[in-house]
Amino acid sequence: MSAGVQIILPGLFDLPLHELDTEFASNELPGLNRILGLATPRDNQAYSIDAIIQRALALESTSPGLAMAQAFADADEDEPARLILAEAVHLRADLHSAVVIPIPKTSENVQDINNIINDLNKLFKVDYDMSAITDGVFLLRLKGFDAPTHYPQVLSVMGKVINPYIEQSRQILPWYRLLNEIQMFMHQHPLNAERIRQGRLPINSLWFWGAGERPAIDTRPCWFCDDALLNRYAASLGLPVESCSGVSSRDDFSDALIVDLRLLQWLKAGLDTSLDEILLDIDRNLLGPVLKGFAESRLTLRLRAGYRHDLELRPSAKMKFWRRPGSLDAWTQ
């Protein structure tokens, strides 16, 4: 891709627009609608967060997931191939499928998660060491074998059937045995019995991801994101990292990558902020400044949303003044 800005907005084309006021998408999102009206669709095969970011950074990686775990270890880690991240989740299973359900990061849930993890660490201390890196997320160091690399980032699987990943795990017998033992222990933990009694979701599983070797990278775009885990990963690759709030005060997007996960978090994990507030903020404080920079330069803009098409604006798009603005309603029908 030529010099310019890439915007990653997973979940954009999966939104329940019927929950918004009539005409909201058409009238209140001028920046997004300008992109939808002027952009050229480009075929896309990158649907998960991991795949989208790998494509945006042109990463040379043999792993389907982002190798994030190394970013949370010491620089002189002896066996980086044995590192993997873990997040406490609820696994809803029946006879034919299993679906990952998020556990909200309330103080009570985080305390329960930490208590269960502490008990796991005591029971499985021969198999691994596990330490917290943020609320509900942990770094696991396996002692007997390398970590599997086939798992995607946890948000990519929330609410989805995970049977394909279970089948892949069966191919790594030591790992599969350890997973089963962990889940059996969590399922039988007294805290979960009490949570069920209170009508709360049991914390009955861990989702693992982020294993693999840190990839080679040839580009160094300025990285804008508010996700602490992804920011740590980007910094480990040597990228200059800023929060998304820095976009509105920037006037040079000659080489920038903006990652905003709020729409996907709203869809998958629930956010206190309403959908219309999130969309308005994205339009005004992310897309607005970028489009201003686009109008004043010859940069290229690419919107990646994990949809069957990416949307690309090249400098020549400024000549398409005769095109009417697009609308998110039309794209999601």
Side-chain angles (χ1 to χ4, degrees), residues 150 171 289 310:
H150 62 270
Q171 308 305 312
D310 288 341

Side-chain angles (χ1 to χ4, degrees), residues 31-315:
L32 177 59
N33 291 341
R34 178 168 170 77
I35 293 173
L36 295 176
L38 295 179
T40 300
R42 302 295 185 190
D43 287 342
N44 171 56
Q45 298 297 321
Y47 301 111
S48 69
I49 296 171
D50 307 71
I52 296 169
I53 292 176
Q54 284 180 337
R55 184 72 57 86
L57 291 174
L59 292 180
E60 298 177 5
S61 175
T62 58
S63 171
L66 291 175
M68 295 176 61
Q70 283 190 57
F72 300 89
D74 297 332
D76 57 351
E77 184 74 39
D78 290 338
E79 297 184 277
R82 296 191 174 183
L83 300 173
I84 194 166
L85 298 178
E87 178 163 343
V89 298
H90 172 75
L91 190 63
R92 188 180 68 206
D94 58 28
L95 289 176
H96 304 292
S97 65
V99 177
V100 174
I101 308 297
I103 301 293
K105 302 297 176 58
T106 64
S107 59
E108 189 175 15
N109 283 340
V110 169
Q111 183 177 351
D112 284 352
I113 289 168
N114 289 337
N115 288 335
I116 293 173
I117 294 298
N118 287 338
D119 290 343
L120 279 171
N121 284 343
K122 294 173 186 176
L123 183 63
F124 295 100
K125 61 183 178 181
V126 174
D127 301 291
Y128 62 73
D129 294 321
M130 183 156 46
S131 55
I133 56 176
T134 188
D135 287 347
V137 183
F138 303 84
L139 176 65
L140 188 107
R141 293 175 171 87
L142 291 165
K143 294 183 177 180
F145 51 90
D146 289 350
T149 61
H150 62 270
Y151 296 106
Q153 204 262 10
V154 62
L155 264 180
S156 293
V157 297
M158 289 293 185
K160 292 186 176 181
V161 172
I162 60 166
N163 296 46
Y165 305 109
I166 296 174
E167 290 304 314
Q168 286 179 279
S169 297
R170 293 179 191 272
Q171 308 305 312
I172 312 169
L173 287 180
W175 174 250
Y176 187 63
R177 292 194 192 102
L178 180 60
L179 281 182
N180 282 338
E181 291 174 7
I182 288 173
Q183 286 188 335
M184 287 176 62
F185 178 83
M186 295 180 74
H187 178 75
Q188 298 169 358
H189 198 283
L191 265 175
N192 278 326
E194 178 61 18
R195 290 175 67 90
I196 292 171
R197 189 188 70 79
Q198 296 173 0
R200 301 160 64 204
L201 282 177
I203 305 163
N204 62 4
S205 190
L206 296 173
W207 180 260
F208 298 91
W209 85 100
E213 293 186 19
R214 183 176 294 137
I217 184 169
D218 296 324
T219 181
R220 292 290 186 276
C222 188
W223 171 280
F224 297 90
C225 183
D226 291 330
D227 183 88
L229 301 183
L230 284 177
N231 283 351
R232 183 78 170 265
Y233 171 69
S236 76
L237 297 179
L239 306 185
V241 174
E242 294 188 41
S243 70
C244 285
S245 62
V247 172
S248 60
S249 59
R250 190 178 181 92
D251 55 13
D252 178 15
F253 294 101
S254 57
D255 195 6
L257 180 56
I258 301 169
V259 183
D260 193 323
L261 302 183
R262 285 178 294 172
L263 295 176
L264 194 61
Q265 289 168 337
W266 187 91
L267 284 165
K268 301 276 190 164
L271 290 179
D272 293 335
T273 310
S274 65
L275 178 57
D276 56 348
E277 288 180 286
I278 297 172
L279 285 169
L280 285 172
D281 187 67
I282 289 172
D283 199 79
R284 293 169 182 172
N285 296 315
L286 295 186
L287 303 184
V290 169
L291 284 170
K292 184 174 182 290
F294 174 77
E296 297 172 355
S297 69
R298 293 192 57 77
L299 62 83
T300 294
L301 183 156
R302 191 160 191 144
L303 176 61
R304 301 180 183 271
Y307 186 61
R308 63 178 181 268
H309 298 299
D310 288 341
L311 300 179
E312 185 180 76
L313 281 179
R314 290 189 172 274

